[in-house]
Amino acid sequence: MRSDLPEGSERIAEVGEFGLIDQIRGIAGESSAAAGIGDDAAVIDLGGGDAVLATVDMQVENVHFRLDQHASAELGRRVVAVSVSDIAAMGGIPRHILTSLALPPSTPAAWVEGLYRGMAAEARHWDADIVGGNLARIDGPICLDIIVIGTVPHAEVVARSGGRLGDVLAVTGTLGNAAALRLARERSLDLADLAGPEWIRRAAEVHPRVRQGRALARSRLVHAMIDISDGLAGDVGHLCRASHTGAEIDARLLPIEPEARAIAEALGLDPVTLSLSGGEDYELLIAMSGGALEKAREVTPDIALHAIGRLTAPVKGVSLIDDGVSRPLSGTAWRHF
Amino acid sequence: MRSDLPEGSERIAEVGEFGLIDQIRGIAGESSAAAGIGDDAAVIDLGGGDAVLATVDMQVENVHFRLDQHASAELGRRVVAVSVSDIAAMGGIPRHILTSLALPPSTPAAWVEGLYRGMAAEARHWDADIVGGNLARIDGPICLDIIVIGTVPHAEVVARSGGRLGDVLAVTGTLGNAAALRLARERSLDLADLAGPEWIRRAAEVHPRVRQGRALARSRLVHAMIDISDGLAGDVGHLCRASHTGAEIDARLLPIEPEARAIAEALGLDPVTLSLSGGEDYELLIAMSGGALEKAREVTPDIALHAIGRLTAPVKGVSLIDDGVSRPLSGTAWRHF
């Protein structure tokens, strides 16, 4: 406990991130439309032909990344990609980026240069500009805060809140790779017989689904969308809360690659649990009517779209069907506090 | 020195903030127009009738603020006001705000609530919306990163770079109040005979000059503008570097209030030095032709506009004329690293 803060009150570790966000939404609501609070990006009308999307994501050393796990250029690409993914989840295109960094004075200049090279490379990959930012000193861990401003036609904004009872839930790509690789490295697992270098490279990188998010939004086939950052279990929960639904996930339908499965098993972990709660997948979770699934696959030909469950009545909560048994799926998301 | 970073290279404490910014500008320039890098806010064209301004400012515990010096609501107002001031310096109006916070788990929920109440109150004061944000855990100092998105008619954007040889330099309001109060508190100076409660309240708060910045931009009278955050000496330097000029400041013309003067003297400090390098004034520094000064005063009737010097040839650098003696004015700005 910190001595310079008032004693005797509840700590945010006890309230939890989502309790805190609810509280904040209440306060912000007093002064604003608060349209975007709780979505992947805020939706702003600045009078242009398109809606403007704005998102910010702070990555903190030893919480979100460790310096011994990433070269600085790789970390630079990663922090930008993570914020770009939020724009993808709204159906938008990233346009402009601001970078706000807090760095300890002892940071090597060459490390910072590598970081900026990585951030610039990722921006260039998306044809987005780094237009400004901020540098601050910190006597503590490195904080990298990335702001992405994007655009999307007004009629094509996809929020978390549009899911409907009976909708199919689908995900792009596969789940659990990032978590499997992270855990394998943390526990010094020998990957030689479990995964090839191409899989490792892919699992280590963040691949925001901008093209797919845009195509799905343009098609008007999808009701709700969110990117999977906290882990499927948590992000299904976010989508359901926003859409006032429950959900049922079928464990057999979760797209898990053989490498992720093999690593999980080598670590003594359940691959399904890993794919549900590992986080950092940065795939899209999509709710749409069952009849739209085939058409959605046609507009995203370069990536697999897997149906994994459906939206149910809110009273049912979020549950996992595994071996014919249904169990509640909660408390397995990444907890920030 | 940190053991988890490569050894043997230059640290950012040695390169300095502005060396680092130059380096970053070079890297970002490879991928972007980089229009806004180095200005108070980035200028973005999103196709609407107005240019879009975007700024971000990170405030770090024990670097920019101390918890024992601010109630959390006061701090919330302050961090938003500091970013709003960057929009004012470009001639813009703040519209939308995102708040990105890194908080240690031990932070009391009531403290965070106070912070948000302060941020929401400041946003409301400017008729701006808090539209979203981010919460992250940190095992270290609190970081408060505030993003403000504003608008300004394309033809009325005021950059740092428009200053011209012979321009008058003017400032809104007075200088040194914030620094005087901060130092008085740090050194436990008894203010009873030096300053009244109204002055103390005013010196403790940040008053972004949005109305004045907007009026000056609309009038098209001003060539360049910047807000004084690092201290006049440093910010004159920023304006001169961007405008490719030098500057001459007349010490006798610096607007210093009797209270700031009295506090400086009680602390054994030179009031002129305090007003040049104390920082956190958040007044506007403006370059305009000498003939425009009276008209500029007419469009900002609610605040004094003091001429304090003029722009000179770049070869002359930035100098202070004091008692008929000219001396170079450098190295007195707030150093972030």
Side-chain angles (χ1 to χ4, degrees):
Chain A
M1 202 172 84
R2 309 178 59 171
S3 62
D4 43 4
L5 287 167
E7 287 189 44
S9 81
E10 208 174 12
R11 312 278 140 179
I12 59 174
E14 296 146 30
V15 180
E17 184 188 14
F18 303 114
L20 205 54
I21 288 176
D22 282 346
Q23 196 185 47
I24 290 163
R25 195 182 283 140
I27 297 167
E30 293 171 11
S31 76
S32 82
I37 293 186
D39 228 312
D40 291 277
V43 185
I44 300 172
D45 186 350
L46 288 174
D50 288 340
V52 174
L53 303 172
T55 186
V56 58
D57 209 78
M58 174 108 68
Q59 305 267 310
V60 180
E61 182 187 353
N62 298 332
V63 175
H64 304 93
F65 63 88
R66 284 172 45 181
L67 292 181
D68 57 7
Q69 286 183 342
H70 300 279
S72 69
E74 183 197 336
L75 184 62
R77 288 205 73 138
R78 185 179 184 81
V79 294
V80 168
V82 164
S83 283
V84 164
S85 179
D86 283 323
I87 299 293
M90 306 289 290
I93 293 177
R95 301 280 186 195
H96 304 286
I97 295 171
L98 291 104
T99 62
S100 184
L101 317 184
L103 302 171
S106 61
T107 313
W111 187 91
V112 180
E113 188 185 328
L115 184 79
Y116 271 94
R117 289 203 182 280
M119 295 193 297
E122 188 69 18
R124 201 161 47 233
H125 179 76
W126 298 110
D127 205 16
D129 288 341
I130 295 180
V131 291
N134 187 72
L135 273 176
R137 198 187 88 198
I138 186 168
D139 297 319
I142 291 172
C143 297
L144 309 174
D145 208 21
I146 308 294
I147 298 100
V148 183
I149 295 172
T151 56
V152 58
H154 285 287
E156 297 175 10
V157 174
V158 185
R160 296 180 178 184
S161 54
R164 303 173 197 172
L165 187 66
D167 272 359
V168 163
L169 281 175
V171 293
T172 58
T174 58
L175 301 173
N177 286 356
L181 181 63
R182 188 183 67 234
L183 290 172
R185 285 178 168 170
E186 280 174 17
R187 304 190 190 174
S188 305
L189 182 69
D190 181 5
L191 290 173
D193 296 330
L194 300 170
E198 165 58 21
W199 183 89
I200 292 172
R201 189 193 56 72
R202 195 155 48 79
E205 292 173 356
V206 173
H207 301 274
R209 302 306 183 189
V210 174
R211 214 166 43 247
Q212 295 78 12
R214 186 80 276 284
L216 290 166
R218 195 191 302 112
S219 75
R220 314 286 286 275
L221 293 168
V222 303
H223 296 156
M225 203 149 64
I226 184 172
D227 76 326
I228 304 172
S229 54
D230 293 346
L232 180 68
D235 290 312
V236 166
H238 299 326
L239 190 149
C240 287
R241 251 192 308 279
S243 295
H244 303 291
T245 66
E248 217 170 60
I249 306 294
D250 187 334
R252 294 164 312 174
L253 300 179
L254 293 173
I256 306 172
E257 296 185 33
E259 290 88 344
R261 204 176 283 278
I263 291 171
E265 282 163 2
L267 292 169
L269 299 170
D270 173 27
V272 166
T273 303
L274 188 76
S275 74
L276 284 168
S277 58
E280 301 189 282
D281 300 296
Y282 299 105
E283 297 292 350
L284 297 175
L285 172 68
I286 305 143
M288 68 188 116
S289 69
L293 187 60
E294 276 316 304
K295 283 185 201 148
R297 284 181 173 140
E298 284 168 25
V299 304
T300 58
D302 51 351
I303 200 159
L305 211 59
H306 296 275
I308 57 161
R310 61 188 188 89
L311 294 184
T312 61
V315 66
K316 295 200 153 188
V318 179
S319 54
L320 182 76
I321 314 289
D322 199 355
D323 258 340
V325 180
S326 170
R327 62 178 175 88
L329 194 62
S330 63
T332 52
W334 172 259
R335 278 175 58 92
H336 292 254
F337 292 104
Chain B
M1 201 172 83
R2 309 178 61 174
S3 62
D4 43 4
L5 288 167
E7 286 190 43
S9 81
E10 207 175 14
R11 310 278 141 178
I12 59 173
E14 296 145 30
V15 182
E17 184 189 13
F18 303 115
L20 204 54
I21 288 175
D22 283 345
Q23 198 186 44
I24 290 163
R25 196 182 284 141
I27 298 167
E30 292 170 12
S31 75
S32 83
I37 292 186
D39 228 312
D40 292 277
V43 184
I44 301 171
D45 186 351
L46 288 173
D50 289 339
V52 174
L53 303 171
T55 187
V56 57
D57 209 79
M58 175 110 67
Q59 306 267 308
V60 180
E61 182 187 352
N62 298 332
V63 175
H64 303 94
F65 64 87
R66 286 174 42 183
L67 291 181
D68 57 7
Q69 285 182 344
H70 300 279
S72 69
E74 185 197 335
L75 184 63
R77 289 205 73 138
R78 184 177 186 84
V79 294
V80 168
V82 164
S83 283
V84 164
S85 179
D86 283 324
I87 299 292
M90 306 289 290
I93 294 178
R95 301 281 187 193
H96 303 286
I97 295 171
L98 291 103
T99 63
S100 184
L101 317 185
L103 303 172
S106 60
T107 313
W111 188 92
V112 181
E113 187 184 328
L115 184 79
Y116 271 94
R117 287 201 183 282
M119 296 193 296
E122 189 69 18
R124 202 162 44 233
H125 180 76
W126 299 111
D127 206 16
D129 287 341
I130 296 180
V131 291
N134 187 72
L135 272 177
R137 196 187 90 199
I138 187 169
D139 296 318
I142 292 171
C143 297
L144 309 175
D145 208 22
I146 307 294
I147 297 99
V148 183
I149 295 173
T151 56
V152 57
H154 285 286
E156 296 175 11
V157 174
V158 186
R160 295 178 179 185
S161 55
R164 303 174 197 172
L165 187 67
D167 272 359
V168 164
L169 281 174
V171 293
T172 57
T174 59
L175 301 172
N177 285 356
L181 181 63
R182 188 183 67 235
L183 290 171
R185 285 179 169 169
E186 279 174 19
R187 304 190 189 175
S188 304
L189 182 69
D190 181 4
L191 291 172
D193 295 330
L194 301 171
E198 164 59 20
W199 183 90
I200 292 172
R201 189 192 56 72
R202 197 156 47 79
E205 292 173 354
V206 174
H207 301 275
R209 301 306 184 190
V210 174
R211 215 167 41 244
Q212 296 79 13
R214 187 80 274 285
L216 290 165
R218 194 190 304 114
S219 74
R220 313 285 285 272
L221 294 167
V222 302
H223 296 155
M225 203 150 63
I226 186 173
D227 75 326
I228 305 172
S229 53
D230 293 346
L232 179 68
D235 289 312
V236 167
H238 299 327
L239 189 148
C240 287
R241 252 192 309 280
S243 295
H244 304 290
T245 65
E248 220 170 59
I249 306 294
D250 187 333
R252 292 165 312 174
L253 299 180
L254 293 172
I256 305 171
E257 295 184 35
E259 291 87 344
R261 204 175 281 279
I263 291 171
E265 283 162 2
L267 293 169
L269 299 169
D270 173 26
V272 166
T273 304
L274 187 77
S275 75
L276 284 167
S277 58
E280 301 190 282
D281 299 296
Y282 299 104
E283 297 291 351
L284 297 175
L285 172 68
I286 305 143
M288 68 188 116
S289 68
L293 187 60
E294 277 315 305
K295 283 185 201 148
R297 285 180 171 142
E298 284 168 22
V299 304
T300 57
D302 50 353
I303 201 159
L305 211 57
H306 297 274
I308 58 162
R310 60 189 188 90
L311 294 184
T312 62
V315 68
K316 297 202 153 187
V318 179
S319 55
L320 182 76
I321 315 288
D322 199 357
D323 257 340
V325 179
S326 171
R327 60 178 177 89
L329 194 63
S330 62
T332 51
W334 171 258
R335 278 175 58 91
H336 292 253
F337 292 107

